[in-house]
Amino acid sequence: MTFGNGITHPTPDATLPRQPQIIVCGLGRTGFRIFSLLRQQGADVIGVNPTPLPQGCYPSHDIVVGDLQAAATLQRAGIEVAHTLLLANSDDALNLAILTQARLLNPQIRIINRLFNASLGERLDQTLPRHVSMSVAALAGPLFAFAALGNRAIGQIRLFDTTWPMHEEIIREDHPWRGQPLRGLWESRQRMLIYYWSAQHRIDLVSAVMAGHRLQPGDRLIVATRPARSRPHQRSAAQAWRRLMNTLHQVRRRSRAALTVLLALMLTIAIATGTYVGTSLDTSLVDALYFAVGMITGAGGQEQVAETATAAIKVFTAVMMLVGAGVIGVCYALLNDFILGTRFHEFWNVARLPQQQHYVVCGLGGVGYRIATQLQTLGHEVVVIERDAQSRFLGAAKALNLPVIIGDASLASTLETVQLKRAAALVAVTSDDTVNLEIALTARSVAPRLAVVVRNQDPEFAQQVQQVFEFDQVMSPTELAAPAFAAAALGGRILGNGMAGHHLWVAIATLITPNHPFCQQTIKALAPTTDLVPLYIESQGHTIHGLDLLEFVLQSGDILYMTLPASRLEQLWRHTATPLITP
């Protein structure tokens, strides 16, 4: 059996337990993508699925079919000797059931657990050793946010408490970096160079920096960029006036029924008051008004106005009592609904909506919530549209002071409410691909030049949708998150990852121990043989960056933050006792 790195392993007897390093349990859309990536990187991996995969996907001896929770199924997959178990099912309860069974069979196995419930994942990480919880939404959300900002990210790295997007730069004749030395780009604190391909030489990035290479047409760079934080815009008098006018418009639009009933009530009181004053010269305007209001509201007062009147006035008074009771009842109901019900909250949300250069997120699910929080963290104004008034993230969004409009984002009227024509971008990320497409098309009809980012679960169909409808980006959470799961399965504390073509890169933090293969060596000596790229080093409370990094001699106790191909990562933890900092 030959893997992607050319290493050949003997094909085992199908009746005997396998001895893999990694087991991927649950080969749905996400699990199968993770399994494929691990195979692509040369990892020794076995897949476990409740049903057989279509013929031709992978050799049958690489897939174990059976009940995922059953001890016999896990034993056939080699659970007792495996290094890592990756639970890729979309059902949290099923993943937990497999977890408990796996730990009974192999108490030392490292578990990568896909969980939708983030708070549960945090508790499991704190309670169970060698357990890492991960979420597709948490991994994909920042990349959607960067896409809305116009960045075509291929991955992300978490550095200095900030998520940095990774993208690929292809040097062409007109590229601004053409002719620039790599050394100058290396020294910048606003970017991290991740990987380098030279069109003319076979050389690694560190060696190219040391040799003073300049970028030439055909060269390619993977770069992580520190995200810029948006500064709050000072509102001009014109913007303040527009917000006031919008607020008044929303008051009129959302309280139209209540205002109509109030007008009917005032009109009823005015007719009754005028009638009493006109039919009795002895009744003053104040007494007539007092009696009319008391009669209609049921409070009473100045009854002698009607008691001494003619029979016709008494009949008129009886009719006014009936009409007033109906009008006042409807008025109380509408006012109660507006003030104590959801209408007032909706009005308040609309009244404080940003007026321009904001981002509209359609769908307050796991992905949508993380997109909104990422954009807000970067200093941008965000508006969320959610159809479900019982969304589990609604309370969290309100706690962060995110304006949420309960409505159908596929309706043009809803999009006009959030000032879509003056927005910076719209992100359609509901859980329904068809709804996302409808929202995106409606947005284009309302604002043809608006940047639109669309979520689609199927990566292949996503590309087709982007080509046919010419949206800015159509992205699949599975495609975005799978490399991170694969990188985590290969071992260690994964700070980030990225995909370029068929190559997966990971960023890790590794603790230098006395027996570590990097101990007592310089980065410039290690790079040509290991293909690593250093990001920075923590040594004795100091952080080392830039060119000083390349000459630094690694000592026991230092922490090296670096990127390297995922295929090299497995070799690193196989040959080192405690190489990587685990979560």
Side-chain angles (χ1 to χ4, degrees):
M1 179 167 52
T2 303
F3 290 95
N5 59 3
I7 300 174
T8 302
H9 298 272
T11 301
D13 187 341
T15 62
L16 297 177
R18 292 293 307 273
Q19 296 189 7
Q21 290 289 345
I22 302 170
I23 299 174
V24 178
C25 203
L27 300 182
R29 177 172 288 159
T30 302
F32 184 77
R33 177 59 177 155
I34 297 168
F35 176 78
S36 301
L37 282 173
L38 289 169
R39 287 290 305 272
Q40 193 179 89
Q41 305 308 314
D44 188 0
V45 57
I46 291 295
V48 182
N49 204 52
T51 58
L53 297 182
Q55 289 187 355
C57 287
Y58 281 101
S60 59
H61 53 257
D62 290 340
I63 307 295
V64 174
V65 178
D67 183 359
L68 302 182
Q69 306 176 52
T73 303
L74 296 175
Q75 286 171 333
R76 280 194 294 127
I79 191 70
E80 293 163 330
V81 295
H83 178 275
T84 300
L85 172 66
L86 195 152
L87 304 175
N89 300 287
S90 58
D91 185 343
D92 285 5
L94 177 58
N95 286 336
L96 290 174
I98 301 171
L99 181 154
T100 55
Q101 184 64 260
R103 277 292 169 91
L104 291 174
L105 297 171
N106 183 350
Q108 301 302 318
I109 193 166
R110 183 169 178 266
I111 294 178
I112 310 297
N113 197 351
R114 175 189 176 185
L115 289 174
F116 181 76
N117 190 327
S119 59
L120 173 61
E122 291 177 1
R123 293 185 178 90
L124 288 173
D125 291 344
Q126 295 169 1
T127 304
L128 298 177
R130 298 174 60 80
H131 179 278
V132 180
S133 61
M134 302 179 69
S135 163
V136 171
L139 294 166
L143 296 181
F144 273 94
F146 293 134
L149 295 171
N151 191 322
R152 293 186 176 273
I154 61 173
Q156 58 184 315
I157 297 180
R158 186 74 179 174
L159 297 173
F160 308 114
D161 295 324
T162 303
T163 301
W164 297 41
M166 296 168 57
H167 65 278
E168 185 176 9
E169 292 281 355
I170 301 176
I171 309 302
R172 297 186 172 88
E173 294 288 344
D174 58 346
H175 197 284
W177 290 359
R178 181 196 173 196
Q180 287 198 25
L182 282 168
R183 182 182 294 260
L185 297 175
W186 181 273
E187 287 281 28
S188 173
R189 295 295 180 90
Q190 299 305 311
R191 66 176 66 93
M192 293 278 188
L193 302 187
I194 305 302
Y195 208 77
Y196 169 64
W197 292 271
S198 172
Q200 301 176 354
H201 310 281
R202 187 177 181 84
I203 188 171
D204 63 276
L205 176 58
V206 172
S207 299
V209 170
M210 297 294 295
H213 278 218
R214 293 178 178 270
L215 291 171
Q216 300 298 327
D219 291 353
R220 295 162 58 200
L221 272 174
I222 294 181
V223 183
T225 307
R226 184 192 297 271
R229 293 184 180 271
S230 176
R231 295 181 179 179
H233 300 287
Q234 295 293 330
R235 292 196 182 97
S236 63
Q239 290 175 325
W241 176 256
R242 276 200 302 269
R243 174 162 289 197
L244 176 61
M245 290 297 99
N246 179 62
T247 301
L248 294 176
H249 171 72
Q250 294 302 329
V251 169
R252 186 176 69 253
R253 178 171 174 264
R254 293 180 176 269
S255 59
R256 187 171 300 167
L259 291 175
T260 301
V261 175
L262 280 174
L263 181 61
L265 178 61
M266 295 299 105
L267 184 60
T268 303
I269 293 173
I271 291 173
T273 302
T275 301
Y276 294 134
V277 171
T279 57
S280 176
L281 297 178
D282 295 333
T283 304
S284 67
L285 178 62
V286 174
D287 288 341
L289 176 62
Y290 183 70
F291 173 69
V293 172
M295 172 193 64
I296 292 173
T297 60
Q302 291 290 342
E303 285 81 359
Q304 64 271 20
V305 173
E307 290 174 354
T308 59
T310 63
I313 294 299
K314 291 181 179 179
V315 172
F316 172 78
T317 300
V319 172
M320 284 293 99
M321 287 180 178
L322 295 175
V323 172
V327 172
I328 202 68
V330 174
C331 183
Y332 282 155
L334 289 175
L335 286 175
N336 180 70
D337 177 64
F338 182 78
I339 296 175
L340 300 179
T342 60
R343 291 182 180 272
F344 181 76
H345 298 288
E346 292 175 7
F347 159 71
W348 177 247
N349 277 329
V350 172
R352 63 192 181 98
L353 291 180
Q355 299 300 299
Q356 61 182 2
Q357 293 303 306
H358 53 285
Y359 293 84
V360 180
V361 179
C362 302
L364 191 60
V367 175
Y369 173 72
R370 285 166 177 82
I371 294 171
T373 54
Q374 177 72 24
L375 290 170
Q376 187 185 57
T377 300
L378 295 176
H380 299 281
E381 293 187 299
V382 184
V383 180
V384 180
I385 303 176
E386 169 58 36
R387 177 180 291 181
D388 183 9
Q390 304 301 320
S391 171
R392 62 173 295 178
F393 293 101
L394 199 58
K398 290 181 179 179
L400 294 174
N401 205 29
L402 285 169
V404 180
I405 303 301
I406 303 299
D408 188 350
S410 64
L411 299 178
S413 58
T414 305
L415 298 180
E416 289 170 353
T417 298
V418 299
Q419 305 296 320
L420 188 69
K421 292 182 179 179
R422 292 198 288 268
L426 176 140
V427 188
V429 286
T430 73
S431 57
D432 190 317
D433 291 347
T434 304
V435 173
N436 290 333
L437 179 60
E438 184 180 5
I439 292 171
L441 293 174
T442 305
R444 278 291 170 86
S445 68
V446 174
R449 297 184 179 180
L450 181 73
V452 176
V453 179
V454 184
R455 169 183 177 175
N456 194 287
Q457 296 290 358
D458 188 336
E460 295 183 4
F461 187 60
Q463 295 180 357
Q464 298 172 7
V465 170
Q466 183 169 350
Q467 293 172 0
V468 171
F469 298 102
E470 298 182 348
F471 297 130
D472 291 79
Q473 292 198 56
V474 182
M475 305 165 68
S476 165
T478 296
E479 193 73 6
L480 297 174
F485 280 92
L490 289 171
R493 176 188 171 192
I494 304 301
L495 304 174
N497 64 89
M499 286 289 299
H502 296 295
H503 302 285
L504 171 63
W505 276 265
V506 295
I508 63 171
T510 179
L511 174 66
I512 306 300
T513 62
N515 296 324
H516 198 288
F518 294 173
C519 191
Q520 299 298 326
Q521 297 197 53
T522 62
I523 296 297
K524 68 178 183 180
L526 288 168
T529 57
T530 60
D531 217 11
L532 71 83
V533 176
L535 302 175
Y536 62 96
I537 294 173
E538 291 181 354
S539 178
Q540 298 180 356
H542 300 284
T543 302
I544 302 167
H545 299 268
L547 294 175
D548 295 339
L549 188 63
L550 306 182
E551 301 284 354
F552 187 81
V553 179
L554 292 168
Q555 305 290 337
S556 177
D558 294 344
I559 299 177
L560 170 62
Y561 295 80
M562 63 179 177
T563 63
L564 76 167
S567 57
R568 300 291 186 108
L569 181 61
E570 186 181 14
Q571 299 173 19
L572 182 63
W573 62 251
R574 275 185 179 181
H575 293 92
T576 311
T578 56
L580 304 178
I581 299 176
T582 56

